[in-house]
mmCIF file of all heavy atoms in Angstrom:
data_model
loop_
_atom_site.group_PDB
_atom_site.id
_atom_site.type_symbol
_atom_site.label_atom_id
_atom_site.label_comp_id
_atom_site.label_asym_id
_atom_site.label_seq_id
_atom_site.Cartn_x
_atom_site.Cartn_y
_atom_site.Cartn_z
ATOM 1 N N LEU A 1478 -9.313 240.953 -81.954
ATOM 2 C CA LEU A 1478 -10.115 241.035 -80.662
ATOM 3 C C LEU A 1478 -10.926 242.342 -80.689
ATOM 4 O O LEU A 1478 -10.625 243.319 -81.380
ATOM 5 C CB LEU A 1478 -9.135 241.146 -79.460
ATOM 6 C CG LEU A 1478 -8.509 239.815 -79.066
ATOM 7 C CD1 LEU A 1478 -7.514 240.042 -77.919
ATOM 8 C CD2 LEU A 1478 -9.517 238.759 -78.638
ATOM 9 N N TYR A 1516 -2.180 232.357 -75.170
ATOM 10 C CA TYR A 1516 -3.416 231.623 -75.033
ATOM 11 C C TYR A 1516 -3.728 230.807 -76.304
ATOM 12 O O TYR A 1516 -4.273 229.654 -76.223
ATOM 13 C CB TYR A 1516 -4.665 232.621 -74.868
ATOM 14 C CG TYR A 1516 -4.564 233.467 -73.536
ATOM 15 C CD1 TYR A 1516 -4.951 234.742 -73.514
ATOM 16 C CD2 TYR A 1516 -4.159 232.815 -72.352
ATOM 17 C CE1 TYR A 1516 -4.836 235.573 -72.364
ATOM 18 C CE2 TYR A 1516 -4.077 233.557 -71.177
ATOM 19 C CZ TYR A 1516 -4.421 234.908 -71.209
ATOM 20 O OH TYR A 1516 -4.318 235.621 -70.107
ATOM 21 N N LEU A 1521 -6.093 227.664 -75.412
ATOM 22 C CA LEU A 1521 -7.226 228.221 -74.573
ATOM 23 C C LEU A 1521 -8.037 229.123 -75.414
ATOM 24 O O LEU A 1521 -9.188 229.496 -75.064
ATOM 25 C CB LEU A 1521 -6.598 229.057 -73.409
ATOM 26 C CG LEU A 1521 -6.121 228.258 -72.172
ATOM 27 C CD1 LEU A 1521 -5.306 229.132 -71.337
ATOM 28 C CD2 LEU A 1521 -7.308 227.651 -71.462
ATOM 29 N N ASP A 1522 -7.535 229.497 -76.585
ATOM 30 C CA ASP A 1522 -8.229 230.421 -77.531
ATOM 31 C C ASP A 1522 -8.039 229.962 -78.894
ATOM 32 O O ASP A 1522 -7.121 229.132 -79.091
ATOM 33 C CB ASP A 1522 -7.598 231.863 -77.274
ATOM 34 C CG ASP A 1522 -8.475 232.898 -77.903
ATOM 35 O OD1 ASP A 1522 -9.715 232.618 -78.267
ATOM 36 O OD2 ASP A 1522 -8.066 234.038 -78.076
ATOM 37 N N ASP A 1541 -14.252 221.132 -78.012
ATOM 38 C CA ASP A 1541 -13.900 221.843 -76.729
ATOM 39 C C ASP A 1541 -13.422 220.858 -75.625
ATOM 40 O O ASP A 1541 -12.413 221.149 -75.019
ATOM 41 C CB ASP A 1541 -15.169 222.510 -76.285
ATOM 42 C CG ASP A 1541 -14.780 223.782 -75.586
ATOM 43 O OD1 ASP A 1541 -14.085 224.577 -76.157
ATOM 44 O OD2 ASP A 1541 -15.278 223.997 -74.473
ATOM 45 N N ASP A 1542 -14.148 219.764 -75.419
ATOM 46 C CA ASP A 1542 -13.749 218.862 -74.310
ATOM 47 C C ASP A 1542 -12.560 218.100 -74.659
ATOM 48 O O ASP A 1542 -11.681 217.888 -73.784
ATOM 49 C CB ASP A 1542 -14.860 217.894 -74.015
ATOM 50 C CG ASP A 1542 -15.922 218.566 -73.022
ATOM 51 O OD1 ASP A 1542 -15.521 219.535 -72.341
ATOM 52 O OD2 ASP A 1542 -17.035 218.030 -72.897
ATOM 53 N N ALA A 1545 -9.702 220.326 -73.945
ATOM 54 C CA ALA A 1545 -9.421 220.388 -72.529
ATOM 55 C C ALA A 1545 -8.478 219.209 -72.161
ATOM 56 O O ALA A 1545 -7.574 219.356 -71.386
ATOM 57 C CB ALA A 1545 -10.749 220.332 -71.736
ATOM 58 N N ARG A 1548 -5.011 219.785 -73.434
ATOM 59 C CA ARG A 1548 -4.248 220.746 -72.572
ATOM 60 C C ARG A 1548 -3.793 220.022 -71.357
ATOM 61 O O ARG A 1548 -2.652 220.164 -70.919
ATOM 62 C CB ARG A 1548 -5.227 221.897 -72.101
ATOM 63 C CG ARG A 1548 -5.507 222.890 -73.178
ATOM 64 C CD ARG A 1548 -6.131 224.142 -72.516
ATOM 65 N NE ARG A 1548 -7.394 223.994 -71.799
ATOM 66 C CZ ARG A 1548 -8.542 224.129 -72.439
ATOM 67 N NH1 ARG A 1548 -8.630 224.503 -73.615
ATOM 68 N NH2 ARG A 1548 -9.650 223.971 -71.719
ATOM 69 N N ASN A 1549 -4.636 219.136 -70.807
ATOM 70 C CA ASN A 1549 -4.320 218.427 -69.627
ATOM 71 C C ASN A 1549 -3.151 217.518 -69.835
ATOM 72 O O ASN A 1549 -2.278 217.403 -69.022
ATOM 73 C CB ASN A 1549 -5.489 217.613 -69.183
ATOM 74 C CG ASN A 1549 -5.284 216.818 -67.904
ATOM 75 O OD1 ASN A 1549 -4.788 215.666 -67.901
ATOM 76 N ND2 ASN A 1549 -5.453 217.517 -66.795
ATOM 77 N N PHE A 1554 0.447 225.356 -67.436
ATOM 78 C CA PHE A 1554 0.310 226.837 -67.483
ATOM 79 C C PHE A 1554 0.705 227.464 -66.178
ATOM 80 O O PHE A 1554 0.483 226.950 -65.107
ATOM 81 C CB PHE A 1554 -1.166 227.271 -67.645
ATOM 82 C CG PHE A 1554 -1.707 226.910 -68.959
ATOM 83 C CD1 PHE A 1554 -2.493 225.829 -69.218
ATOM 84 C CD2 PHE A 1554 -1.488 227.832 -70.113
ATOM 85 C CE1 PHE A 1554 -3.050 225.565 -70.511
ATOM 86 C CE2 PHE A 1554 -2.022 227.515 -71.288
ATOM 87 C CZ PHE A 1554 -2.851 226.473 -71.550
ATOM 88 N N TYR A 1556 0.504 231.457 -64.588
ATOM 89 C CA TYR A 1556 0.116 232.832 -64.952
ATOM 90 C C TYR A 1556 0.760 233.807 -63.981
ATOM 91 O O TYR A 1556 1.399 233.410 -63.019
ATOM 92 C CB TYR A 1556 -1.511 232.908 -64.824
ATOM 93 C CG TYR A 1556 -2.180 231.888 -65.644
ATOM 94 C CD1 TYR A 1556 -2.558 230.669 -64.991
ATOM 95 C CD2 TYR A 1556 -2.482 232.089 -66.945
ATOM 96 C CE1 TYR A 1556 -3.169 229.725 -65.762
ATOM 97 C CE2 TYR A 1556 -3.079 231.121 -67.681
ATOM 98 C CZ TYR A 1556 -3.476 229.972 -67.105
ATOM 99 O OH TYR A 1556 -4.078 229.012 -67.835
ATOM 100 N N PHE A 1558 -0.775 235.710 -62.000
ATOM 101 C CA PHE A 1558 -1.299 235.529 -60.630
ATOM 102 C C PHE A 1558 -1.367 234.042 -60.452
ATOM 103 O O PHE A 1558 -1.575 233.277 -61.396
ATOM 104 C CB PHE A 1558 -2.706 236.154 -60.586
ATOM 105 C CG PHE A 1558 -3.267 236.117 -59.206
ATOM 106 C CD1 PHE A 1558 -2.799 236.879 -58.186
ATOM 107 C CD2 PHE A 1558 -4.347 235.265 -58.934
ATOM 108 C CE1 PHE A 1558 -3.345 236.845 -56.981
ATOM 109 C CE2 PHE A 1558 -4.923 235.206 -57.681
ATOM 110 C CZ PHE A 1558 -4.418 236.004 -56.716
ATOM 111 N N PHE A 1560 -3.495 231.878 -59.146
ATOM 112 C CA PHE A 1560 -4.756 231.168 -59.411
ATOM 113 C C PHE A 1560 -4.872 229.785 -58.680
ATOM 114 O O PHE A 1560 -5.363 228.878 -59.204
ATOM 115 C CB PHE A 1560 -4.922 230.853 -60.889
ATOM 116 C CG PHE A 1560 -5.268 232.088 -61.708
ATOM 117 C CD1 PHE A 1560 -4.668 232.332 -62.890
ATOM 118 C CD2 PHE A 1560 -6.215 233.034 -61.190
ATOM 119 C CE1 PHE A 1560 -5.065 233.448 -63.674
ATOM 120 C CE2 PHE A 1560 -6.546 234.107 -61.978
ATOM 121 C CZ PHE A 1560 -5.991 234.361 -63.202
ATOM 122 N N LEU A 1562 -6.623 227.403 -55.956
ATOM 123 C CA LEU A 1562 -7.962 227.295 -55.373
ATOM 124 C C LEU A 1562 -7.924 227.388 -53.897
ATOM 125 O O LEU A 1562 -7.187 226.568 -53.234
ATOM 126 C CB LEU A 1562 -8.696 225.997 -55.804
ATOM 127 C CG LEU A 1562 -9.498 226.118 -57.083
ATOM 128 C CD1 LEU A 1562 -8.660 226.516 -58.221
ATOM 129 C CD2 LEU A 1562 -10.196 224.854 -57.365
ATOM 130 N N PRO A 1563 -8.503 228.427 -53.320
ATOM 131 C CA PRO A 1563 -8.237 228.800 -51.868
ATOM 132 C C PRO A 1563 -8.796 227.780 -50.913
ATOM 133 O O PRO A 1563 -8.212 227.696 -49.813
ATOM 134 C CB PRO A 1563 -9.063 230.125 -51.675
ATOM 135 C CG PRO A 1563 -10.120 230.089 -52.758
ATOM 136 C CD PRO A 1563 -9.482 229.350 -53.915
ATOM 137 N N GLU A 1564 -9.595 226.848 -51.319
ATOM 138 C CA GLU A 1564 -10.152 225.825 -50.357
ATOM 139 C C GLU A 1564 -9.248 224.626 -50.252
ATOM 140 O O GLU A 1564 -9.563 223.739 -49.550
ATOM 141 C CB GLU A 1564 -11.539 225.442 -50.725
ATOM 142 C CG GLU A 1564 -12.615 226.475 -50.783
ATOM 143 C CD GLU A 1564 -12.679 227.143 -52.141
ATOM 144 O OE1 GLU A 1564 -11.944 226.712 -53.033
ATOM 145 O OE2 GLU A 1564 -13.438 228.096 -52.310
ATOM 146 N N PHE A 1565 -8.230 224.590 -51.061
ATOM 147 C CA PHE A 1565 -7.450 223.356 -51.152
ATOM 148 C C PHE A 1565 -6.003 223.608 -50.698
ATOM 149 O O PHE A 1565 -5.454 224.664 -50.980
ATOM 150 C CB PHE A 1565 -7.525 222.724 -52.554
ATOM 151 C CG PHE A 1565 -8.831 222.317 -52.966
ATOM 152 C CD1 PHE A 1565 -9.807 223.109 -53.443
ATOM 153 C CD2 PHE A 1565 -9.161 220.966 -52.770
ATOM 154 C CE1 PHE A 1565 -11.038 222.729 -53.779
ATOM 155 C CE2 PHE A 1565 -10.491 220.511 -53.062
ATOM 156 C CZ PHE A 1565 -11.419 221.396 -53.529
ATOM 157 N N GLU A 1569 -2.877 219.467 -52.669
ATOM 158 C CA GLU A 1569 -4.163 219.268 -53.400
ATOM 159 C C GLU A 1569 -4.152 220.122 -54.688
ATOM 160 O O GLU A 1569 -4.519 219.703 -55.835
ATOM 161 C CB GLU A 1569 -5.420 219.516 -52.646
ATOM 162 C CG GLU A 1569 -5.665 218.417 -51.525
ATOM 163 C CD GLU A 1569 -6.714 218.857 -50.581
ATOM 164 O OE1 GLU A 1569 -6.828 220.089 -50.279
ATOM 165 O OE2 GLU A 1569 -7.451 218.000 -50.108
ATOM 166 N N MET A 1573 -4.336 218.731 -58.665
ATOM 167 C CA MET A 1573 -5.610 219.009 -59.337
ATOM 168 C C MET A 1573 -5.604 218.657 -60.823
ATOM 169 O O MET A 1573 -6.563 218.086 -61.319
ATOM 170 C CB MET A 1573 -5.987 220.461 -59.119
ATOM 171 C CG MET A 1573 -7.410 220.553 -58.582
ATOM 172 S SD MET A 1573 -7.744 222.220 -58.016
ATOM 173 C CE MET A 1573 -7.734 221.835 -56.273
ATOM 174 N N TRP A 1576 -6.424 215.187 -61.121
ATOM 175 C CA TRP A 1576 -7.861 214.832 -60.841
ATOM 176 C C TRP A 1576 -8.720 214.918 -62.157
ATOM 177 O O TRP A 1576 -9.533 214.121 -62.382
ATOM 178 C CB TRP A 1576 -8.452 215.828 -59.923
ATOM 179 C CG TRP A 1576 -7.850 215.808 -58.513
ATOM 180 C CD1 TRP A 1576 -6.910 214.896 -57.989
ATOM 181 C CD2 TRP A 1576 -8.214 216.692 -57.425
ATOM 182 N NE1 TRP A 1576 -6.686 215.179 -56.679
ATOM 183 C CE2 TRP A 1576 -7.382 216.235 -56.308
ATOM 184 C CE3 TRP A 1576 -9.023 217.778 -57.212
ATOM 185 C CZ2 TRP A 1576 -7.431 216.870 -55.104
ATOM 186 C CZ3 TRP A 1576 -9.053 218.423 -56.017
ATOM 187 C CH2 TRP A 1576 -8.272 217.937 -54.966
ATOM 188 N N ALA A 1577 -8.335 215.908 -62.956
ATOM 189 C CA ALA A 1577 -9.061 216.127 -64.190
ATOM 190 C C ALA A 1577 -9.015 214.847 -65.108
ATOM 191 O O ALA A 1577 -9.905 214.632 -65.908
ATOM 192 C CB ALA A 1577 -8.587 217.310 -64.993
ATOM 193 N N GLY A 1579 -8.797 211.820 -63.710
ATOM 194 C CA GLY A 1579 -9.197 210.657 -62.905
ATOM 195 C C GLY A 1579 -8.045 210.142 -62.067
ATOM 196 O O GLY A 1579 -8.213 209.006 -61.476
ATOM 197 N N ARG A 1582 -4.785 210.225 -56.872
ATOM 198 C CA ARG A 1582 -5.090 209.653 -55.619
ATOM 199 C C ARG A 1582 -4.054 208.677 -55.145
ATOM 200 O O ARG A 1582 -3.975 208.406 -53.910
ATOM 201 C CB ARG A 1582 -6.449 208.938 -55.632
ATOM 202 C CG ARG A 1582 -7.547 209.912 -55.584
ATOM 203 C CD ARG A 1582 -8.819 209.181 -55.222
ATOM 204 N NE ARG A 1582 -9.830 210.113 -54.866
ATOM 205 C CZ ARG A 1582 -11.047 209.763 -54.372
ATOM 206 N NH1 ARG A 1582 -11.302 208.527 -54.193
ATOM 207 N NH2 ARG A 1582 -11.930 210.723 -54.088
ATOM 208 N N ARG A 1622 2.227 222.863 -59.811
ATOM 209 C CA ARG A 1622 1.013 222.388 -60.387
ATOM 210 C C ARG A 1622 1.120 222.293 -61.940
ATOM 211 O O ARG A 1622 0.653 221.301 -62.528
ATOM 212 C CB ARG A 1622 -0.161 223.299 -60.054
ATOM 213 C CG ARG A 1622 -1.499 222.901 -60.742
ATOM 214 C CD ARG A 1622 -2.599 223.828 -60.314
ATOM 215 N NE ARG A 1622 -2.375 225.217 -60.772
ATOM 216 C CZ ARG A 1622 -3.123 226.268 -60.469
ATOM 217 N NH1 ARG A 1622 -4.120 226.061 -59.605
ATOM 218 N NH2 ARG A 1622 -2.904 227.404 -60.913
ATOM 219 N N MET B 1476 -15.500 212.079 -62.523
ATOM 220 C CA MET B 1476 -14.276 212.361 -61.817
ATOM 221 C C MET B 1476 -14.547 212.309 -60.326
ATOM 222 O O MET B 1476 -15.471 212.839 -59.805
ATOM 223 C CB MET B 1476 -13.864 213.764 -62.172
ATOM 224 C CG MET B 1476 -12.383 213.889 -62.395
ATOM 225 S SD MET B 1476 -12.069 215.472 -63.072
ATOM 226 C CE MET B 1476 -13.055 215.374 -64.602
ATOM 227 N N ARG B 1477 -13.631 211.662 -59.565
ATOM 228 C CA ARG B 1477 -13.967 211.312 -58.224
ATOM 229 C C ARG B 1477 -13.793 212.553 -57.294
ATOM 230 O O ARG B 1477 -14.415 212.608 -56.258
ATOM 231 C CB ARG B 1477 -13.005 210.190 -57.708
ATOM 232 C CG ARG B 1477 -13.444 208.833 -58.286
ATOM 233 C CD ARG B 1477 -12.387 207.793 -57.886
ATOM 234 N NE ARG B 1477 -11.073 208.176 -58.283
ATOM 235 C CZ ARG B 1477 -10.011 207.470 -58.005
ATOM 236 N NH1 ARG B 1477 -10.174 206.301 -57.380
ATOM 237 N NH2 ARG B 1477 -8.853 207.788 -58.378
ATOM 238 N N GLU B 1478 -13.054 213.528 -57.747
ATOM 239 C CA GLU B 1478 -12.838 214.715 -56.869
ATOM 240 C C GLU B 1478 -13.937 215.728 -56.981
ATOM 241 O O GLU B 1478 -13.872 216.721 -56.306
ATOM 242 C CB GLU B 1478 -11.483 215.385 -57.089
ATOM 243 C CG GLU B 1478 -10.348 214.728 -56.341
ATOM 244 C CD GLU B 1478 -10.022 213.345 -56.850
ATOM 245 O OE1 GLU B 1478 -10.378 213.056 -58.073
ATOM 246 O OE2 GLU B 1478 -9.292 212.587 -56.250
ATOM 247 N N LEU B 1481 -15.671 216.456 -53.851
ATOM 248 C CA LEU B 1481 -14.781 217.057 -52.979
ATOM 249 C C LEU B 1481 -14.743 218.575 -53.276
ATOM 250 O O LEU B 1481 -14.821 219.366 -52.291
ATOM 251 C CB LEU B 1481 -13.406 216.430 -53.149
ATOM 252 C CG LEU B 1481 -12.304 216.989 -52.139
ATOM 253 C CD1 LEU B 1481 -12.648 216.628 -50.744
ATOM 254 C CD2 LEU B 1481 -10.929 216.552 -52.461
ATOM 255 N N LEU B 1482 -14.691 218.921 -54.552
ATOM 256 C CA LEU B 1482 -14.664 220.381 -54.907
ATOM 257 C C LEU B 1482 -15.956 221.030 -54.377
ATOM 258 O O LEU B 1482 -15.953 222.069 -53.777
ATOM 259 C CB LEU B 1482 -14.611 220.536 -56.393
ATOM 260 C CG LEU B 1482 -13.213 220.355 -57.021
ATOM 261 C CD1 LEU B 1482 -13.258 219.924 -58.445
ATOM 262 C CD2 LEU B 1482 -12.375 221.676 -56.833
ATOM 263 N N ARG B 1485 -15.932 221.358 -50.556
ATOM 264 C CA ARG B 1485 -15.047 222.455 -50.062
ATOM 265 C C ARG B 1485 -15.620 223.817 -50.268
ATOM 266 O O ARG B 1485 -15.475 224.725 -49.462
ATOM 267 C CB ARG B 1485 -13.637 222.347 -50.721
ATOM 268 C CG ARG B 1485 -12.866 221.074 -50.348
ATOM 269 C CD ARG B 1485 -12.143 221.268 -49.024
ATOM 270 N NE ARG B 1485 -11.430 220.072 -48.616
ATOM 271 C CZ ARG B 1485 -10.247 219.768 -48.949
ATOM 272 N NH1 ARG B 1485 -9.495 220.595 -49.660
ATOM 273 N NH2 ARG B 1485 -9.688 218.671 -48.529
ATOM 274 N N HIS B 1486 -16.256 223.931 -51.372
ATOM 275 C CA HIS B 1486 -16.898 225.197 -51.694
ATOM 276 C C HIS B 1486 -17.856 225.576 -50.563
ATOM 277 O O HIS B 1486 -17.908 226.688 -50.038
ATOM 278 C CB HIS B 1486 -17.653 225.239 -52.996
ATOM 279 C CG HIS B 1486 -16.708 225.488 -54.211
ATOM 280 N ND1 HIS B 1486 -17.214 225.265 -55.420
ATOM 281 C CD2 HIS B 1486 -15.512 225.880 -54.254
ATOM 282 C CE1 HIS B 1486 -16.260 225.579 -56.305
ATOM 283 N NE2 HIS B 1486 -15.216 225.956 -55.593
ATOM 284 N N SER B 1489 -16.287 226.082 -47.041
ATOM 285 C CA SER B 1489 -15.474 227.282 -46.809
ATOM 286 C C SER B 1489 -16.374 228.477 -46.582
ATOM 287 O O SER B 1489 -15.848 229.611 -46.298
ATOM 288 C CB SER B 1489 -14.553 227.504 -47.989
ATOM 289 O OG SER B 1489 -15.279 227.819 -49.071
ATOM 290 N N LYS B 1786 -16.583 232.330 -58.120
ATOM 291 C CA LYS B 1786 -15.694 231.262 -58.464
ATOM 292 C C LYS B 1786 -15.332 231.227 -59.933
ATOM 293 O O LYS B 1786 -14.789 230.221 -60.438
ATOM 294 C CB LYS B 1786 -16.250 229.911 -58.082
ATOM 295 C CG LYS B 1786 -16.291 229.689 -56.606
ATOM 296 C CD LYS B 1786 -14.998 229.351 -56.045
ATOM 297 C CE LYS B 1786 -14.841 229.609 -54.559
ATOM 298 N NZ LYS B 1786 -13.511 229.698 -54.101
ATOM 299 N N ARG B 1788 -13.137 232.638 -61.661
ATOM 300 C CA ARG B 1788 -11.734 232.464 -61.896
ATOM 301 C C ARG B 1788 -11.307 231.038 -61.694
ATOM 302 O O ARG B 1788 -10.566 230.514 -62.417
ATOM 303 C CB ARG B 1788 -10.980 233.442 -61.030
ATOM 304 C CG ARG B 1788 -9.895 234.090 -61.636
ATOM 305 C CD ARG B 1788 -9.224 235.077 -60.751
ATOM 306 N NE ARG B 1788 -8.880 234.306 -59.530
ATOM 307 C CZ ARG B 1788 -8.512 234.921 -58.438
ATOM 308 N NH1 ARG B 1788 -8.482 236.208 -58.392
ATOM 309 N NH2 ARG B 1788 -8.186 234.249 -57.347
ATOM 310 N N ASP B 1789 -11.773 230.460 -60.547
ATOM 311 C CA ASP B 1789 -11.437 229.081 -60.272
ATOM 312 C C ASP B 1789 -11.958 228.132 -61.358
ATOM 313 O O ASP B 1789 -11.260 227.203 -61.767
ATOM 314 C CB ASP B 1789 -12.105 228.629 -58.886
ATOM 315 C CG ASP B 1789 -11.351 229.347 -57.770
ATOM 316 O OD1 ASP B 1789 -10.483 230.265 -58.047
ATOM 317 O OD2 ASP B 1789 -11.695 229.003 -56.657
ATOM 318 N N ILE B 1792 -9.739 228.378 -64.277
ATOM 319 C CA ILE B 1792 -8.409 227.746 -64.073
ATOM 320 C C ILE B 1792 -8.563 226.172 -64.142
ATOM 321 O O ILE B 1792 -7.795 225.498 -64.844
ATOM 322 C CB ILE B 1792 -7.773 228.192 -62.768
ATOM 323 C CG1 ILE B 1792 -6.281 227.928 -62.855
ATOM 324 C CG2 ILE B 1792 -8.255 227.501 -61.586
ATOM 325 C CD1 ILE B 1792 -5.579 228.989 -63.707
ATOM 326 N N LEU B 1793 -9.648 225.676 -63.625
ATOM 327 C CA LEU B 1793 -9.884 224.260 -63.696
ATOM 328 C C LEU B 1793 -10.114 223.855 -65.111
ATOM 329 O O LEU B 1793 -9.498 222.804 -65.580
ATOM 330 C CB LEU B 1793 -11.133 223.906 -62.878
ATOM 331 C CG LEU B 1793 -11.097 223.908 -61.351
ATOM 332 C CD1 LEU B 1793 -12.438 223.746 -60.713
ATOM 333 C CD2 LEU B 1793 -10.158 222.821 -60.876
ATOM 334 N N ARG B 1794 -10.880 224.606 -65.826
ATOM 335 C CA ARG B 1794 -11.068 224.332 -67.249
ATOM 336 C C ARG B 1794 -9.729 224.419 -68.017
ATOM 337 O O ARG B 1794 -9.513 223.613 -68.924
ATOM 338 C CB ARG B 1794 -12.073 225.214 -67.919
ATOM 339 C CG ARG B 1794 -13.465 225.099 -67.238
ATOM 340 C CD ARG B 1794 -14.453 224.226 -68.028
ATOM 341 N NE ARG B 1794 -14.837 224.845 -69.220
ATOM 342 C CZ ARG B 1794 -14.624 224.329 -70.461
ATOM 343 N NH1 ARG B 1794 -13.989 223.133 -70.457
ATOM 344 N NH2 ARG B 1794 -14.951 224.890 -71.481
ATOM 345 N N SER B 1795 -8.927 225.326 -67.658
ATOM 346 C CA SER B 1795 -7.667 225.510 -68.447
ATOM 347 C C SER B 1795 -6.727 224.328 -68.292
ATOM 348 O O SER B 1795 -6.046 223.983 -69.154
ATOM 349 C CB SER B 1795 -6.934 226.831 -67.973
ATOM 350 O OG SER B 1795 -6.151 226.561 -66.866
ATOM 351 N N PHE B 1796 -6.752 223.737 -67.089
ATOM 352 C CA PHE B 1796 -5.881 222.564 -67.076
ATOM 353 C C PHE B 1796 -6.677 221.205 -67.174
ATOM 354 O O PHE B 1796 -6.231 220.168 -66.747
ATOM 355 C CB PHE B 1796 -4.928 222.493 -65.925
ATOM 356 C CG PHE B 1796 -5.421 222.661 -64.486
ATOM 357 C CD1 PHE B 1796 -6.280 221.736 -63.968
ATOM 358 C CD2 PHE B 1796 -4.983 223.702 -63.696
ATOM 359 C CE1 PHE B 1796 -6.797 221.848 -62.686
ATOM 360 C CE2 PHE B 1796 -5.444 223.844 -62.421
ATOM 361 C CZ PHE B 1796 -6.331 222.933 -61.941
ATOM 362 N N GLY B 1797 -7.815 221.337 -67.798
ATOM 363 C CA GLY B 1797 -8.349 220.068 -68.367
ATOM 364 C C GLY B 1797 -9.669 219.586 -67.790
ATOM 365 O O GLY B 1797 -10.234 218.531 -68.222
ATOM 366 N N PHE B 1798 -10.230 220.326 -66.795
ATOM 367 C CA PHE B 1798 -11.586 219.894 -66.372
ATOM 368 C C PHE B 1798 -12.610 220.131 -67.440
ATOM 369 O O PHE B 1798 -12.564 221.179 -68.128
ATOM 370 C CB PHE B 1798 -11.972 220.628 -65.101
ATOM 371 C CG PHE B 1798 -11.468 220.070 -63.816
ATOM 372 C CD1 PHE B 1798 -10.068 220.106 -63.509
ATOM 373 C CD2 PHE B 1798 -12.271 219.341 -62.985
ATOM 374 C CE1 PHE B 1798 -9.661 219.567 -62.342
ATOM 375 C CE2 PHE B 1798 -11.829 218.825 -61.815
ATOM 376 C CZ PHE B 1798 -10.477 218.911 -61.521
ATOM 377 N N SER B 1799 -13.462 219.137 -67.640
ATOM 378 C CA SER B 1799 -14.514 219.296 -68.737
ATOM 379 C C SER B 1799 -15.608 220.159 -68.225
ATOM 380 O O SER B 1799 -15.804 220.320 -67.018
ATOM 381 C CB SER B 1799 -15.036 217.949 -69.174
ATOM 382 O OG SER B 1799 -15.656 217.334 -68.019
ATOM 383 N N ARG B 1800 -16.461 220.631 -69.194
ATOM 384 C CA ARG B 1800 -17.609 221.380 -68.791
ATOM 385 C C ARG B 1800 -18.504 220.503 -67.904
ATOM 386 O O ARG B 1800 -19.112 220.947 -66.955
ATOM 387 C CB ARG B 1800 -18.467 221.655 -70.022
ATOM 388 C CG ARG B 1800 -18.032 222.868 -70.763
ATOM 389 C CD ARG B 1800 -18.857 223.097 -72.050
ATOM 390 N NE ARG B 1800 -18.091 223.834 -73.076
ATOM 391 C CZ ARG B 1800 -18.052 225.154 -73.063
ATOM 392 N NH1 ARG B 1800 -18.689 225.859 -72.122
ATOM 393 N NH2 ARG B 1800 -17.359 225.742 -73.905
ATOM 394 N N VAL B 1890 -10.483 231.638 -71.337
ATOM 395 C CA VAL B 1890 -9.640 232.657 -71.836
ATOM 396 C C VAL B 1890 -10.152 234.108 -71.598
ATOM 397 O O VAL B 1890 -9.386 234.985 -71.288
ATOM 398 C CB VAL B 1890 -9.269 232.486 -73.328
ATOM 399 C CG1 VAL B 1890 -10.519 232.810 -74.183
ATOM 400 C CG2 VAL B 1890 -8.116 233.361 -73.775
ATOM 401 N N LEU B 1893 -9.332 234.774 -67.926
ATOM 402 C CA LEU B 1893 -7.914 235.003 -67.727
ATOM 403 C C LEU B 1893 -7.497 236.332 -68.334
ATOM 404 O O LEU B 1893 -6.677 237.107 -67.727
ATOM 405 C CB LEU B 1893 -7.158 233.890 -68.424
ATOM 406 C CG LEU B 1893 -7.373 232.506 -67.808
ATOM 407 C CD1 LEU B 1893 -6.674 231.402 -68.646
ATOM 408 C CD2 LEU B 1893 -6.852 232.428 -66.299
ATOM 409 N N ARG B 1894 -8.043 236.734 -69.522
ATOM 410 C CA ARG B 1894 -7.669 238.002 -70.104
ATOM 411 C C ARG B 1894 -8.105 239.075 -69.198
ATOM 412 O O ARG B 1894 -7.357 240.046 -69.003
ATOM 413 C CB ARG B 1894 -8.434 238.079 -71.400
ATOM 414 C CG ARG B 1894 -7.594 238.349 -72.627
ATOM 415 C CD ARG B 1894 -8.449 238.684 -73.805
ATOM 416 N NE ARG B 1894 -8.206 237.680 -74.848
ATOM 417 C CZ ARG B 1894 -9.167 237.061 -75.516
ATOM 418 N NH1 ARG B 1894 -10.420 237.206 -75.276
ATOM 419 N NH2 ARG B 1894 -8.791 236.213 -76.453
ATOM 420 N N THR B 1896 -8.245 239.134 -65.994
ATOM 421 C CA THR B 1896 -7.488 239.251 -64.742
ATOM 422 C C THR B 1896 -6.053 239.487 -64.981
ATOM 423 O O THR B 1896 -5.290 239.708 -64.095
ATOM 424 C CB THR B 1896 -7.702 237.987 -63.952
ATOM 425 O OG1 THR B 1896 -7.429 236.838 -64.719
ATOM 426 C CG2 THR B 1896 -9.092 237.947 -63.388
#
Side-chain angles (χ1 to χ4, degrees):
Chain A
L1478 286 175
Y1516 297 141
L1521 282 168
D1522 194 14
D1541 214 53
D1542 274 342
R1548 285 197 296 269
N1549 182 267
F1554 290 100
Y1556 306 93
F1558 187 71
F1560 287 138
L1562 268 58
E1564 300 89 359
F1565 292 85
E1569 284 169 329
M1573 232 167 250
W1576 293 355
R1582 282 199 168 185
R1622 177 178 65 187
Chain B
M1476 221 170 299
R1477 286 177 304 180
E1478 275 74 13
L1481 183 66
L1482 281 156
R1485 293 277 175 91
H1486 278 169
S1489 66
K1786 290 282 160 198
R1788 223 179 52 193
D1789 291 5
I1792 202 76
L1793 286 170
R1794 298 262 290 119
S1795 85
F1796 56 60
F1798 274 73
S1799 63
R1800 276 177 207 276
V1890 69
L1893 295 174
R1894 235 187 239 133
T1896 52

